[in-house]
């Protein structure tokens, strides 16, 4: 290889700046916009103030110039973080499209009428960011899009059973009026989420879709090399009859989990009664840990399709309500949670799949003898 490079006699790259040949120009580390903030200590809040709790990922991401605070619970995502997020979204797209997911994009502004019809305008309480336009019409900034996507599907008046299952997803900014945002991207007011909404012809088909998407989540977290656990969860304000969370065990996690040592059972403690301390399958004593929720799945049944009259036409040409499910992944939370569980206290470790950069080439010092040598510059190129 070296002999080939010598025969090629390519011109030396002065200053080790590659010539622009029509492709993307490689970025010099000295030009990367990544403002370090080494003053952030172990007890800094969202803006670096002392006295507020923090966590490993928040401290490391602030120090390394991956995020910069804008206001409580809102952050600038700086170039290395955007690169990591784009790689993560690419992996998510691959998993969602492997289960026939179709990507779309819905408005962040959602009409209050839809939320009132589902009962969640009042049910969500103060978590909703609410606003009114100049005509006095009420809206919210969507934390999730069950109402919007169901209305979209209901507007298709001739939907046939042949078009099902329908699996629609998006990756967009979401908003939640957290009373006290903390831990950086783990608990913020503005964040990125992948949310999928599925429509099936029967309960049996909808449960098959549920299992299929859960398997896709397992595949994603395995590719990332993250130590996840799938636990039984409450349905909360979204509703439905079946729900699971995908959790990364971590001391800083806000959810309390119980696990069977033999792997037969796992649940969020909010789903249990106080007396349940042993595995319902094998009787072993349940162990307790804390976790960071990075994914959540719901079987919804007809909770939303019945409100919007989202129907399809059966083989007998009769209208039937679609059976629904919804499936969330916290994109920015996965970024922070992966740093939280994989890194040391003073050094970031990314999952290889989403590391902003895989390699950093260190060129000869400008003006040095090594820089002037054609062979050295050619090998670098």
């Amino acid at each position: 290889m070296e002999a080939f490079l010598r025969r090629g006699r390519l011109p030396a790259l002065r200053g080790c700046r590659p010539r622009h040949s029509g492709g993307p120009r490689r970025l010099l580390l000295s030009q990367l916009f990544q403002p370090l903030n080494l003053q952030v200590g172990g007890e800094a809040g969202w803006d670096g103030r002392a006295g507020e709790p923090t966590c490993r990922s928040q401290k490391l991401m602030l120090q390394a110039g991956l995020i910069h605070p804008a206001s409580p619970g809102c952050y600038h995502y700086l170039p290395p973080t955007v690169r990591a997020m784009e790689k993560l979204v690419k992996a998510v797209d691959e998993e969602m499209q492997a289960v026939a997911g179709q990507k779309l994009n819905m408005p962040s502004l959602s009409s209050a009428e839809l939320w009132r019809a589902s009962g969640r305008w009042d049910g969500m309480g103060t978590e909703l960011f609410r606003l009114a336009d100049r005509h006095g019409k009420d809206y919210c900034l969507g934390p999730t899009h069950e109402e919007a996507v169901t209305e979209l599907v209901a507007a298709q008046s001739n939907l046939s059973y042949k078009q099902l299952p329908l699996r629609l997803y998006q990756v967009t900014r979401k908003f939640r009026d957290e009373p006290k945002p903390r831990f950086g991207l783990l608990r913020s007011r503005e964040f990125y989420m992948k949310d999928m909404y599925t429509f099936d012809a029967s309960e049996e088909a909808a449960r098959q879709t549920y299992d299929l998407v859960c398997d896709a989540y397992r595949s994603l977290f395995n590719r990332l090399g993250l130590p996840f656990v799938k636990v039984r969860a409450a349905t909360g304000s979204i509703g439905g009859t079946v729900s699971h969370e995908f959790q990364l065990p971590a001391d800083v996690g806000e959810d309390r989990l119980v696990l069977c040592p033999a792997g037969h059972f796992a649940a969020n403690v909010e789903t249990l009664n106080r007396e349940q301390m042993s595995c319902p399958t094998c009787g072993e004593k349940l162990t307790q840990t804390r976790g960071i929720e990075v994914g959540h799945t719901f079987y919804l049944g007809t909770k939303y399709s019945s409100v919007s009259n989202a129907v399809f036409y059966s083989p007998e040409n009769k209208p039937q309500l679609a059976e629904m499910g919804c499936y969330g992944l916290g994109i920015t939370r996965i970024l922070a949670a992966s740093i939280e569980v994989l890194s040391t206290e003073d050094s970031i470790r990314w999952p290889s799949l989403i590391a902003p950069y895989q390699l950093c080439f260190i060129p000869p010092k400008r003006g040095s003898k090594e820089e002037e040598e054609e062979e050295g510059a050619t090998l670098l190129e």
Side-chain angles (χ1 to χ4, degrees):
M1 184 65 177
E2 291 184 13
F4 171 79
L5 289 171
R6 289 193 191 98
R7 287 197 302 270
R9 304 295 290 176
L10 297 177
L13 302 176
R14 304 295 179 186
C16 295
R17 294 174 182 268
R19 294 184 176 183
H20 186 68
S21 58
R25 183 186 178 200
R26 285 194 292 275
L27 183 68
L28 295 179
L29 183 61
S30 59
Q31 295 176 326
L32 178 62
F33 185 64
Q34 187 179 4
L36 304 183
N37 183 11
L38 301 182
Q39 302 301 314
V40 176
E43 289 295 324
W46 70 270
D47 58 355
R49 293 180 302 190
E52 294 186 15
T54 187
C55 64
R56 178 187 301 161
S57 59
Q58 180 185 12
K59 182 183 73 172
L60 289 174
M61 295 184 82
L62 287 169
Q63 287 179 340
L66 299 178
I67 57 175
H68 185 81
S71 61
C74 297
Y75 290 87
H76 301 283
Y77 307 142
L78 300 181
T81 302
V82 171
R83 282 181 64 93
M85 186 162 67
E86 288 173 344
K87 291 183 177 185
L88 177 56
V89 170
K90 180 176 182 292
V92 169
D93 284 339
E94 291 167 356
E95 297 295 342
M96 293 299 98
Q97 289 164 17
V99 295
Q102 300 181 62
K103 196 171 188 178
L104 46 63
N105 202 317
M106 291 178 278
S108 294
L109 276 178
S110 188
S111 168
E113 295 173 7
L114 293 177
W115 287 73
R116 289 192 177 107
S118 70
R120 294 208 299 169
W121 182 259
D122 296 320
M124 287 286 287
T126 56
E127 281 192 8
L128 277 183
F129 273 110
R130 305 163 196 259
L131 64 156
D133 67 11
R134 67 183 65 194
H135 306 294
K137 185 175 177 61
D138 291 328
Y139 293 87
C140 67
L141 290 173
T144 182
H145 279 73
E146 285 80 10
E147 287 84 357
V149 74
T150 311
E151 184 74 6
L152 172 65
V153 171
Q156 316 313 309
S157 58
N158 295 313
L159 188 66
S160 166
Y161 72 96
K162 295 179 181 180
Q163 295 171 265
L164 303 181
L166 188 58
R167 297 165 183 161
L168 306 175
Y169 80 99
Q170 61 177 354
V171 179
T172 56
R173 288 180 187 260
K174 300 291 191 295
F175 304 86
R176 184 175 292 122
D177 192 359
E178 294 285 351
K180 190 176 182 181
R182 58 178 182 165
F183 297 152
L185 301 188
L186 294 181
R187 178 62 69 183
S188 56
R189 287 176 168 167
E190 183 177 357
F191 50 93
Y192 279 88
M193 188 170 82
K194 186 284 304 177
D195 42 325
M196 172 178 267
Y197 306 93
T198 61
F199 299 80
D200 280 275
S202 67
E203 178 178 346
E204 180 184 5
R207 290 183 180 273
Q208 290 175 352
T209 291
Y210 188 93
D211 292 339
L212 199 64
V213 178
C214 285
D215 287 343
Y217 279 21
R218 288 190 186 95
S219 174
L220 175 69
F221 291 123
N222 284 331
R223 290 173 63 189
L224 292 170
L226 294 174
F228 73 95
V229 59
K230 177 188 174 186
V231 305
R232 194 175 73 186
T235 57
S237 62
I238 289 179
T241 56
V242 177
S243 177
H244 290 88
E245 295 167 343
F246 288 77
Q247 296 268 356
L248 301 188
D251 292 340
V252 76
E254 295 185 320
D255 291 306
R256 293 170 52 226
L257 315 175
V258 290
L259 311 174
C260 167
H264 297 133
F265 180 79
N268 192 311
V269 296
E270 64 186 0
T271 67
L272 306 179
N273 58 52
R274 292 186 179 182
E275 289 74 34
Q276 187 170 348
M277 297 301 296
S278 60
C279 174
T281 301
C282 67
E284 285 282 333
K285 183 178 179 181
L286 297 174
T287 61
Q288 295 194 26
T289 187
R290 304 191 77 88
I292 301 169
E293 179 194 331
V294 287
H296 207 150
T297 59
F298 300 84
Y299 167 60
L300 300 172
T302 59
K303 172 179 169 63
Y304 294 93
S305 56
S306 61
V307 173
S308 297
N309 197 35
V311 301
F312 66 95
Y313 284 87
S314 70
E316 296 76 30
N317 203 33
K318 293 182 178 180
Q320 293 183 13
L321 290 172
E323 294 277 338
M324 292 179 57
C326 65
Y327 310 86
L329 280 175
I331 299 297
T332 41
R333 185 178 285 186
I334 290 173
L335 293 181
S338 64
I339 291 176
E340 187 70 36
V341 302
L342 297 180
S343 301
T344 64
E345 288 297 332
D346 57 2
S347 179
I348 288 178
R349 182 183 178 192
W350 290 96
S352 177
L353 186 67
I354 61 173
Y357 294 93
Q358 295 290 339
L359 293 171
C360 179
F361 290 96
I362 304 176
K365 184 178 179 181
R366 188 183 295 273
S368 67
K369 180 180 70 173
E370 290 82 2
E371 184 197 31
E372 298 299 324
E373 294 177 354
E374 290 186 18
E375 183 178 334
T378 300
L379 285 171
L380 175 66
E381 175 62 16

